[in-house]
Amino acid sequence: MTATTAAGEPSVVTDIAPLSPGQERLFDAEFVLPDGSWPTPGTPTRLRPIDSGAIRIDGPLDVAALRRAVTALVARQSALRTTFRRRPDGAPVQLVTDRAPDPMSLGTLDLAAGQQFPTAEELLRHAPARLVDPRHDLLFRVHLLRLDQERHVLLLQVHHAVSDGWSIGVLYRDLSELYNAARAGRDADLPAIPRSFAAHSRQMRAERGGPEEQRQLAYWRRRLAPPLPAHRAEPQADGLSPVDVDPVLVPADLVRSLRETAATSAQRGGVAGPFLAALVLVLHRADSERDVRIGMMISNRARPGAEHLIGYFVNTTVIRLHVDPTMTAGDLVAQANTAVTEAIEHQALPIQDLYQDLCDTGALGPGPLYRVTLALNTMRTTSLTLDGLHCQDIDLERVGPRRAPTSIEQRWVLDEHAGHLAGTLTWRTDTATRPAIAATLTGLDQALRAVTHPRTTLADITATLPTPRPEAW
């Protein structure tokens, strides 16, 4: 079987596999039309643009070695050679080809007189097009901009149809080692990849409804009993909701305190536990709800070898915490640590399968399972590490209003880098106002600091958190 690459050159399809559960959710939410059909090529879709990242590189960059590294990366990671189709029976599949057209392009950016470095807007204007069609477009692109002899900006673009937060850490690690090896004329020292992402997708599909999924389903039924109250947000008729995006930063000293708090609590854990505890307190302060549910993105890479792959493995689990004003911060952090630990142990059940079961059994009323999600990525803590060069990430995240395919009221996405947590809060403007979100961001900073004092009661913490006027929600 043959396919056509984005450059119009024929390539051989070496593997055909079903979508992973995560890809299935993505396509259902953002690509499939309301009548269940796929859009005709070239027509607008709700699919989010390709994600763009930028790295500033100072020093004598070996462009030829970088090109060899990019080529080797695509050869190593089959997800980067993947496109998507529908079979005659309508089932979506991913097609892996034996090769892909060269994803690396070169350009030069001349700075204005006196300008030290290009702005994020200038860099994005020089990046390849951000809107892609996953049926035939390149889903991984690299664009190198030359500023002068020893200053470059590397623009990396990878679509979330073939990548998740963990994958970016893998991409940085592999590309760094492949460049260093190409420059030194040696073989790259990288872990073997025994199975492709497509093979893992087949396994995940084969496990649907099997004994392990039934075991995990039984756990989640217990965890989410008794019947859950409904949440209010629903998507708009066209599947797009009005949203705004705000930057979020948790400084390194506070991250260290959170990690120490988690490690010394009654139930030990990582930074996710105390972060969730603080976020729950902010949400409780806003609406007085004591039974709080948060959808937490989780890597879903427990299968051997999955940790070294680029691909869309991520699943969503439900963190359900109960707030009692007489509890202490230590109690809530311990509860959150336990919830995260158990969620990791039961992370493989696709969230869409859980949601359908809860609806079928009457355990969930109308509305979504959660109205707030959290993605906390601690896999990538450094930028590229290229020998003889200084590399530094550049923030290209766009803030401000837009329309997005989401029913979620608040979506928190944070990455750990250089010891701090940085990211964004995307919030639906039809469910909250600017004063409410300002109070949320201020309150989160205060709550994060408060939960590092384990003996403080929740009543004392929430009493100090800002709350907007009722009409702000």
Side-chain angles (χ1 to χ4, degrees), residues 128-464:
R130 300 183 70 238
L131 295 175
V132 302
D133 188 323
R135 288 167 289 199
H136 56 75
D137 287 339
L138 279 174
L139 302 182
F140 172 64
R141 300 103 165 265
V142 178
H143 189 58
L144 182 67
L145 282 174
R146 182 181 184 275
L147 306 182
D148 57 40
Q149 187 172 352
E150 293 200 353
R151 285 197 307 168
H152 294 81
V153 175
L154 187 66
L155 294 169
L156 294 174
Q157 293 184 307
V158 60
H159 200 275
H160 56 302
V162 296
S163 173
D164 53 21
W166 183 292
S167 296
I168 303 304
V170 175
L171 191 157
Y172 271 48
R173 179 202 65 190
D174 284 11
L175 186 58
S176 296
E177 172 58 18
L178 289 166
Y179 171 86
N180 295 336
R183 186 168 176 265
R186 59 172 175 80
D187 292 334
D189 183 15
L190 288 170
I193 297 180
R195 290 197 301 164
S196 67
F197 175 71
H200 281 275
S201 295
R202 270 193 296 274
Q203 180 183 358
M204 286 187 272
R205 175 57 61 92
E207 292 172 350
R208 299 283 281 274
E212 177 58 20
E213 180 168 303
Q214 291 302 314
R215 183 189 72 82
Q216 296 199 18
L217 180 59
Y219 162 80
W220 287 110
R221 285 171 173 170
R222 294 191 303 270
R223 178 68 182 168
L224 299 177
L228 301 169
H231 281 321
R232 59 182 180 270
E234 295 291 345
Q236 303 295 309
D238 63 356
L240 297 174
S241 300
V243 302
D244 207 343
V245 182
D246 283 54
V248 180
L249 177 66
V250 182
D253 62 330
L254 182 51
V255 174
R256 285 194 299 271
S257 296
L258 294 172
R259 191 163 272 119
E260 292 167 0
T261 297
T264 57
S265 75
Q267 297 294 329
R268 296 183 178 184
V271 72
F275 190 98
L276 283 162
L279 183 56
V280 161
L281 288 176
V282 173
L283 299 174
H284 167 71
R285 177 63 166 166
D287 59 15
S288 301
E289 178 63 61
R290 293 191 178 189
D291 183 356
V292 183
R293 307 191 303 271
I294 295 175
M296 183 174 179
M297 306 296 121
I298 203 156
S299 64
N300 194 24
R301 290 174 180 256
R303 296 170 180 81
E307 69 271 24
H308 301 307
L309 282 170
I310 293 173
Y312 198 90
F313 286 91
V314 69
N315 192 19
T316 306
T317 59
V318 184
I319 303 296
R320 187 184 192 185
L321 299 181
H322 297 273
V323 178
D324 181 338
T326 64
M327 292 168 53
T328 65
D331 295 332
L332 187 60
V333 170
Q335 184 187 159
N337 282 343
T338 298
V340 171
T341 299
E342 293 183 356
I344 292 172
E345 294 170 352
H346 301 86
Q347 64 179 296
L349 176 67
I351 188 65
Q352 62 265 43
D353 293 358
L354 173 60
Y355 178 80
Q356 188 62 53
D357 179 82
L358 294 175
C359 291
D360 291 345
T361 59
L364 180 66
L369 184 53
Y370 39 77
R371 62 188 177 94
V372 175
T373 63
L374 171 65
L376 194 60
N377 179 28
T378 58
M379 169 63 180
R380 181 174 65 88
T381 58
T382 61
S383 184
L384 290 178
T385 52
L386 307 182
D387 289 347
L389 303 169
H390 176 70
C391 301
Q392 181 179 350
D393 284 355
I394 302 169
D395 184 10
L396 293 184
E397 186 65 45
R398 297 186 307 152
V399 298
R402 67 196 68 170
R403 290 179 66 80
T406 184
S407 62
I408 300 301
E409 295 182 29
Q410 296 181 17
R411 184 165 66 96
W412 299 79
V413 179
L414 295 167
D415 295 304
E416 184 173 8
H417 180 67
H420 63 261
L421 293 172
T424 56
L425 166 60
T426 301
W427 53 281
R428 283 182 55 169
T429 57
D430 58 346
T431 63
T433 63
R434 172 57 60 188
I437 295 302
T440 296
L441 292 168
T442 300
L444 179 67
D445 180 75
Q446 295 179 5
L448 287 171
R449 298 182 186 281
V451 298
T452 64
H453 302 282
R455 296 183 180 179
T456 309
T457 67
L458 302 188
D460 288 340
I461 294 174
T462 56
T464 65

